[in-house]
């Protein structure tokens, strides 16, 4: 921008260094669509209210649509020395259509303009992320459906604990992603309010109608208080927090995928499309993709803390500090979208090695709790005593190099003669898994119930989003 369109007071050209610190165009140019969309809605409202003429609106609308095409075709490059995207587009508009362009900024300030553009951007991307979350949940559900009786060692402290099924394990992640989805949708609705028309901080003496811009832009209604609106970045903080939490979930899943693909587990095999080789060790197949997904949480958390820190202690209303709100949000959104797409592709194409999962269930005496429960339920032994008897059985199995489910009735009775024959089938891992048939439990039947409930929920969301 050669002429300063927003500086009646400043006569000298800014120093190069000031521009470098001050200009946001290098990163806020990403908001060009939202800026144009917002300006068209604002100009429409101005003309409806008789604040500018219908002819001016037509010119502005035509000019802005042309600028959109110029930007998308690369004819208008957003790399000049304009301070920000708002000045760049307004400057270009005036260059193209003259006086009508100069009327666009009536009853508006960059403070409500940037609040609008940024909010539109966050809202649009919130929906994109939510849709991708649904897709990931569907993929998990499909894989879970095929594995409701695939045995897997359920762990606590990363130690074998009780037998579960693989579908049940996947449904735990589907449940996390469901909560993530709900968080995105809830902040979408809470923030679906239009900031435009707040002007610099106090509203405007022009007879504007904020309902018109609000409904034209797809918001529920205008925000309540202009002073708050121009300095509110909660909507951005919410999306950052939602992304951080979601990526934390993805990092946990990724960690398990990394473990499962190792030689020690071999529970899954990643598709060659999602693994990489080593430059020196020809035999290696590395899980770089889940490792990167696991690591992405770091930058997202950084972006969240950065904006929380920028906003802390800021007096009302707009302060230039708030220009620092954007890069982290753009980065977190980009990271979230890519991570979700990659995760979905990787999970839908990985191979599940059922036999290895089931084999691993023979390590760690997974059905020991079933023996203790049997002693309590069938023989009437107090739980703490049953716990110690079971400990004795586990020791015997260890000494014999067997799993508890492989012991004979004689072996079991050598520890406690009260143990009866019916216990044998209870100690089988699949029976043990299916015995956990309480609501939300791991039995195949309960897992199928969870899959069904989640599938119904997905269908409802698809109608809404
Ligand atoms: N580039 C600025 C930002 O991103 C736009 C708002 C500037 N407003 C102002 N009064 N300086 O925050």
């Amino acid at each position: 921008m050669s002429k300063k369109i927003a500086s009646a007071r400043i006569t000298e050209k800014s120093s190069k260094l000031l521009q470098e610190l001050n200009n946001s165009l290098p990163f806020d140019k990403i908001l060009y669509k939202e800026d144009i969309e917002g300006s068209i809605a604002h100009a429409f409202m101005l003309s409806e209210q008789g604040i500018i003429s219908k002819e001016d609106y037509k010119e502005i609308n035509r000019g802005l649509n042309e600028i959109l095409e110029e930007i998308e075709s690369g004819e208008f490059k957003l790399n000049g020395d304009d301070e920000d995207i708002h000045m760049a587009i307004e400057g270009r508009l005036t260059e193209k259509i003259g006086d009508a362009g100069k009327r666009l900024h009536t009853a508006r300030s960059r403070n409500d303009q940037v609040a609008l553009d940024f909010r539109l951007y966050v809202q649009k991307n919130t929906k994109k992320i939510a849709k991708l979350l649904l897709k990931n949940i569907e993929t998990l559900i499909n894989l879970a459906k095929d594995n409701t009786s695939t045995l897997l060692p359920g762990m606590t402290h990363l130690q074998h604990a009780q037998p579960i099924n693989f579908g049940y394990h996947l449904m735990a992640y589907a449940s996390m992603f469901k909560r993530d989805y709900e968080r995105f949708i809830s902040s979408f609705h809470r923030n679906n309010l239009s900031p435009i028309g707040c002007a610099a901080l106090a509203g405007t003496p022009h007879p504007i109608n904020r309902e018109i811009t609000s409904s034209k832009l797809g918001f529920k209604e205008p925000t309540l208080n202009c002073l708050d609106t121009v300095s509110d970045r909660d909507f951005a903080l919410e999306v950052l927090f939602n992304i951080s939490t979601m990526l934390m979930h993805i990092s946990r899943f990724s960690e398990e995928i990394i473990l499962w693909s190792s030689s020690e587990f071999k529970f899954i095999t990643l598709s060659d499309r999602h693994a990489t080789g080593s430059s020196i060790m020809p035999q290696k197949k590395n899980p770089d993709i889940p490792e990167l997904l696991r690591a992405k949480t770091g930058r997202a958390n950084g972006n969240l803390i950065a904006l929380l820190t920028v906003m802390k202690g800021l007096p009302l209303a707009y302060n230039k500090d708030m220009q620092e709100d954007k890069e982290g949000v753009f980065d977190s959104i980009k990271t979230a979208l890519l991570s979700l797409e990659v995760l979905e592709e990787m999970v839908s194409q990985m191979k599940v090695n059922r036999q290895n999962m089931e084999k691993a269930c023979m390590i760690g005496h997974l059905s020991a709790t079933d023996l203790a429960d049997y002693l309590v339920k069938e023989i009437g032994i107090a739980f703490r005593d049953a716990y110690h008897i079971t400990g004795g059985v586990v020791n015997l199995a260890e000494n014999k190099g067997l799993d508890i489910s492989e012991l004979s009735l004689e072996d079991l009775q050598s520890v406690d003669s009260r143990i009866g024959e019916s216990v044998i089938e209870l100690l089988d891992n699949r029976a043990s898994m299916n015995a956990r048939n309480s609501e939300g439990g791991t039995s195949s039947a309960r897992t199928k119930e969870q899959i069904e409930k989640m599938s119904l929920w997905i269908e409802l969301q698809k109608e809404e989003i």
Side-chain angles (χ1 to χ4, degrees), residues 22 24 27-28 83-84 86 109-111 114 233 318-320 322-326:
N22 192 47
S24 52
F27 53 86
D28 68 14
E83 191 180 318
D84 55 30
H86 324 294
S109 147
R110 270 186 304 159
N111 298 352
V114 72
R233 292 296 180 270
Y318 178 84
N319 299 271
K320 191 66 172 232
M322 290 162 69
Q323 180 169 286
E324 287 289 311
D325 58 359
K326 291 177 199 59

Side-chain angles (χ1 to χ4, degrees), residues 129 132 136 246-247 250 289 292-293 296 331-345:
I129 293 172
L132 281 172
N136 270 277
M246 177 190 84
L247 287 176
I250 292 181
I289 298 304
L292 285 167
L293 291 179
K296 292 292 180 193
D331 179 68
S332 281
I333 285 177
K334 193 170 145 209
T335 305
L337 292 170
L338 183 62
S339 300
L340 284 167
E341 280 188 297
V342 170
L343 180 71
E344 196 279 327
E345 194 180 278

Side-chain angles (χ1 to χ4, degrees), residues 371-393 408-424 426:
L371 175 59
D373 286 338
Y374 160 87
L375 293 170
V376 172
K377 261 166 69 183
E378 304 300 325
I379 322 272
I381 297 176
F383 179 78
R384 199 43 73 201
D385 293 332
Y387 174 92
H388 287 296
I389 296 167
T390 306
V393 172
S408 67
L409 183 60
E410 292 71 50
D411 290 334
L412 294 167
Q413 287 175 337
S414 74
V415 178
D416 194 300
S417 59
R418 290 171 291 180
I419 297 177
E421 203 185 341
S422 63
V423 82
I424 297 290
L426 296 180

Side-chain angles (χ1 to χ4, degrees), residues 105-117:
H105 211 53
T106 315
R108 180 176 84 168
S109 147
R110 270 186 304 159
N111 298 352
D112 58 340
Q113 190 178 356
V114 72
L116 169 67
D117 296 1

